[in-house]
Amino acid sequence: MSAPFSICGREISPGSREVIELPLPPLSTHSALHMPAHVIRGKKDGPCLLVCAALHGDEINGVEIIRRLVGLGALDKIRGTLIAIPIVNIYGFIHLSRYLPDRRDLNRSFPGSETGSLAGRLAHLFMNEVVEKATYGIDLHTAAIHRDNFPQIRATLDDAETRRIAEAFHAPLIIDAGLRPGTIREAAVKMNIPWLVYEAGEALRFDEISIRAGVRGIVNVMREVGMLRKSLRKKSYRPRIVKSNFWIRAPQSGILRLTAALGASVSKGDILGYVADPYGGREEQITSPDNGIIIGRTNLPLMHEGDAMLHLARFRDNASASETVDAFQSELDPVESTGISGSEPIA
Ligand SMILES: [Zn+2]
């Protein structure tokens, strides 16, 4: 006999799937607001995986990842429970904004408090009604507005279980990232919940490779923790762990032309782009300060001195990291791998 599983006061019986509506503070118009959560419970007991997206309301790749994930037929046979929440920051999502209406960042407001700000209350509700039920968590993000991230996992790798699922996700790159105060990851780690942040793509855009890699990654984790049957397919690359990473910043204000692509392997001294004044005058070359791979870049050509232009990652072995990036790109490229750029999910 399985132990009862309830969320928001609703009991979910084994072998059923439901959409639960978590009640939220209404809009200022008094329009009622809810946070829909898919809850899929297998017939057999197993772990509880929480997958959530759009904690930053403008980071929407994860919304599409979850839409495709919950449509997979394989979920009919899971062990344990999948909680999948496509839009956590509903308020920000409506306004195409990272933030909440009180201008706070929800992902700096955890664990929150019942009597705190709107952000604090939302964080508190999310911790108590959702995160608390999870044995594993995956939080889906993109780069901030006007920036793009090469698909990467961020996690605390000194925890063996976290490292196991970080590698199983099979994003090409993994960053052993310190815990930032107020994030949901920090709050979850304090509750001993192995937690991954998947960072891929740009805010307010869909990126097909990032979406495919996200759906596949979640399925891979479900296989690793015993929620789905393991796959016998041989992997074409090994995820690489970033040794160190830093932003290359604009040496002067002006107009930026980047020549380095996301995912490019670069050597020390390579030209990565140019910053010029907008009137045809002074132009400065941007050269790479080291060998590595471009894992993030700005898409905005307007710079102030000191603005972040390119995120460079260094590896113990740059050549094999570059091979991983190439293998990942050719495997996931929607045109190369299937001949169509549609939305067929990869499972
Ligand atoms: Zn984010």
Side-chain angles (χ1 to χ4, degrees):
M1 190 63 190
S2 299
F5 184 92
S6 69
I7 183 162
C8 237
R10 268 261 292 281
E11 171 108 22
I12 315 291
S13 47
S16 67
R17 62 189 293 168
E18 305 212 18
V19 178
I20 304 291
E21 307 252 337
L22 274 80
L24 299 176
L27 297 176
S28 54
T29 55
H30 265 217
S31 302
L33 212 57
H34 294 90
M35 185 196 302
H38 298 273
V39 185
I40 301 170
R41 188 172 179 199
K43 286 196 181 115
K44 293 183 179 157
D45 282 344
C48 176
L49 172 66
L50 166 63
V51 182
C52 59
L55 257 90
H56 292 137
D58 60 349
E59 299 184 7
I60 60 174
N61 264 337
V63 180
E64 175 62 6
I65 290 171
I66 291 178
R67 192 188 70 79
R68 294 189 197 181
L69 175 75
V70 297
L72 295 178
L75 297 188
D76 293 343
K77 296 186 208 96
I78 62 167
R79 282 173 178 265
T81 305
L82 172 68
I83 305 174
I85 304 187
I87 310 163
V88 177
N89 178 359
I90 304 259
Y91 307 88
F93 185 81
I94 295 169
H95 296 289
L96 315 182
S97 165
R98 174 185 180 91
Y99 302 103
L100 284 161
D102 62 6
R103 297 191 290 175
R104 284 188 168 86
D105 184 329
L106 177 59
N107 206 26
R108 302 288 181 274
S109 305
F110 282 88
S113 110
E114 205 173 355
T115 53
S117 65
L118 175 63
R121 288 173 192 220
L122 194 54
H124 178 81
L125 172 83
F126 201 69
M127 287 306 290
N128 287 280
E129 293 293 346
V130 182
V131 177
E132 206 232 327
K133 323 268 178 201
T135 40
Y136 297 95
I138 305 176
D139 182 18
L140 306 171
H141 287 253
T142 73
I145 187 97
H146 304 310
R147 285 191 197 161
D148 206 352
N149 276 341
F150 195 78
Q152 55 196 259
I153 284 291
R154 297 183 185 175
T156 309
L157 299 184
D158 56 11
D159 176 63
E161 192 61 3
T162 305
R163 191 183 183 109
R164 183 165 82 99
I165 60 167
E167 287 176 352
F169 191 101
H170 221 68
L173 309 175
I174 302 173
I175 298 181
D176 187 3
L179 292 171
R180 196 175 276 187
T183 58
I184 190 171
R185 184 162 74 94
E186 183 201 50
V189 167
K190 279 189 180 156
M191 293 167 73
N192 292 319
I193 301 169
W195 194 269
L196 306 182
V197 171
Y198 175 59
E199 279 277 359
E202 188 183 350
L204 297 176
R205 299 284 182 271
F206 279 170
D207 176 65
E208 185 61 24
I209 290 186
S210 300
I211 292 166
R212 284 168 174 245
V215 176
R216 193 183 69 169
I218 296 162
V219 168
N220 284 340
V221 170
M222 292 176 78
R223 286 180 170 142
E224 182 66 27
V225 301
M227 295 176 74
L228 287 169
R229 210 177 290 167
K230 284 219 166 154
S231 159
L232 300 171
R233 242 171 79 184
K234 208 172 166 298
K235 304 275 197 265
S236 69
Y237 62 86
R238 201 154 61 81
R240 301 290 163 169
I241 294 167
V242 170
K243 195 175 87 181
S244 63
N245 53 296
F246 63 95
W247 280 93
I248 303 168
R249 294 184 176 276
Q252 62 162 322
S253 299
I255 304 296
L256 173 67
R257 286 176 295 129
L258 282 179
T259 52
L262 200 61
S265 177
V266 298
S267 300
K268 189 172 179 173
D270 283 358
I271 296 172
L272 306 177
Y274 306 86
V275 195
D277 78 46
Y279 313 107
R282 206 158 65 94
E283 179 171 272
E284 250 184 273
Q285 260 180 16
I286 316 294
T287 54
S288 185
D290 209 337
N291 304 331
I293 289 173
I294 307 292
I295 61 164
R297 55 167 273 161
T298 181
N299 286 331
L300 189 70
L302 311 181
M303 288 284 111
H304 288 104
E305 184 184 319
D307 279 350
M309 298 184 300
L310 291 156
H311 195 180
L312 187 70
R314 291 183 283 205
F315 298 82
R316 197 169 297 157
D317 179 352
N318 282 311
S320 54
S322 172
E323 278 169 25
T324 280
V325 165
D326 290 347
F328 167 79
Q329 277 176 322
S330 55
E331 195 174 295
L332 270 291
D333 186 288
V335 179
E336 252 182 60
S337 61
T338 65
I340 50 159
S341 63
S343 57
E344 285 294 305
I346 291 183

